[in-house]
Amino acid sequence: MAGALLMNSSMNTRDLRRLLVRAVRIGMLAMAPVALLGHPPAARAADPLVIGQVAPFTGSQAVTGQAIHSGIELCIDAANTHGGVHGRELKLVTRDDAQKPDETVRLTRELIAGDAPVAMLGTVGTDNLEALARDGVLEQAHVSMVGAVSGAASLAKAKDLYPVKARYRDEIARLFSQISFLGVTQVALLYQDDSLGRDVLAGADAAAKRYGVTLLVRSGYQRNTTAVAKAVAEIAKVRPQVVFLGATTAAAIEFVKEYAAAKGTGTLYGMSIIDSEALLKGLGPERSRGYAFSVVLPLATQTQVAVVREYLQLRQASADAHLSARSIEGFIACKALVKVLESTPDPTPIKVTAALARAKAVDVGNYVLDFAAKEHGVSSYVDFAMFGADGKVVQ
C-alpha cells in the first residue's frame, strides 16, 4: 500500500480525500480476517512459527544432515518470500546431534522446551529416531516430525514420526523382484551394523526367499565409520553377480573404491539413503559408471514433476554448497509441513499433530503423501537409476 499512497503536488483536495478514504477502507478489509480470529495484527506479525530440526551437522553423517537441512531452508525461504503461513514468518531452529542417539533425544527435549516449535523436521538415522520414539518426547509434547529420515519398518508404528518416502523393505523387495526377473540370483549384502542394518537384513532375507535370490554373504561394518575393508574382502571372495549396499554415503563411497581395487566384478546397487551426487563427486564419472541406485523420491531429471521444477528453480538461485541429491527430501518434507500448516488455522503443536494424523493426500507438486496411512507407508514410489557415461543419470 505504501506505493499506492505516493501523491504528486497537483492533486486537489477532493482527490486527496477520496484516495485517503479508499486507503482506509482497504486497510480495514485487510485487517478484518485477523481481527475475526481474535489476534492483534501487530502481535501476530511479530510472532513467527518456529520449526525445529535436530540432525548431524558434524561427524560421519554430516553430509546427509547438511543436505536435508539445506533442502528445508530452501523451502522455508521461499515460503517466507511469499508471506509465510497465515501471515507469519517461518523460523527454523536447529541443533547438531552428531548422529548420536542420546544427543538426539537430549537436544530435541532442549529445543522443544526452549523454542516451542509447532513441528519438527528432518532428524536423520534409524537409531536416532528409534531413540526418540522410545523416549516419548514428541508424544509428551504433542509435537510431530515430518520428514523423519529413515525407511525402517520399526518406525512405521512410531507415534508422531512421519517419513516422506517408501520404506527400505519396499526398496529391497522391488530390487530383488527386478533382478530375479532378469535371471540374476547371486547377491552379496553390505550392511551397517545397527538398527538400519538389521532392518536391511530382515528385508533382504524376506525378499530373497520370496523371489528365489541367494544371499551369498552378509557383511557388516561399524556404524558411523568407513571401515569396510573386511566386508570388501568377504564380498569379493564369493564373486556375486550383484552387491547390494545397505550403507550410508561415506561408507558406500569407500566400499566402491576398495571393491574396484580388489577387482570386484559384481554390479553395485545402492540404497536410496546413499547420496548419489556425493558419490559421483567422490568417485568421479568414470568410477561411478554402472553404479545403480534406488529412487524413492523424484530425481532432478524428472522435470515433468512440479515439485522438481520448483526445487530446481530455487536451487539454481541459491549459493548453498550443501544442496545435493538428498536435499529434495528435506524440501519435500518442508513443503508437506507447510501445506498442513496452511490448512490449520492458528497452528499449534496439538492442532498440527491432529491435522497430520488425518492428512490422506498431501500433494506437494505431483508427489502425493498419505500421512494417515503411515503404518502401511506414506509413499509406495520406488524406481531405479544408474550412472552412465560422463556421470549422466539413466533411468
Side-chain angles (χ1 to χ4, degrees), residues 298-370:
L299 290 171
T301 54
Q302 294 175 286
T303 52
Q304 74 276 17
V305 180
V307 70
V308 172
R309 292 196 300 274
E310 180 185 6
Y311 169 75
L312 290 176
Q313 184 178 13
L314 293 170
R315 179 174 175 174
Q316 188 174 15
S318 173
D320 188 344
H322 294 303
L323 285 165
S324 72
R326 291 300 302 275
S327 298
I328 198 167
E329 184 171 349
F331 184 77
I332 284 174
C334 177
K335 283 272 294 180
L337 177 57
V338 168
K339 290 277 187 182
V340 172
L341 291 173
E342 288 173 341
S343 69
T344 308
D346 192 24
T348 64
I350 292 176
K351 287 183 179 181
V352 173
T353 292
L356 281 165
R358 61 176 180 264
K360 293 183 177 180
V362 181
D363 188 352
V364 298
N366 306 131
Y367 184 80
V368 181
L369 297 161
D370 185 354

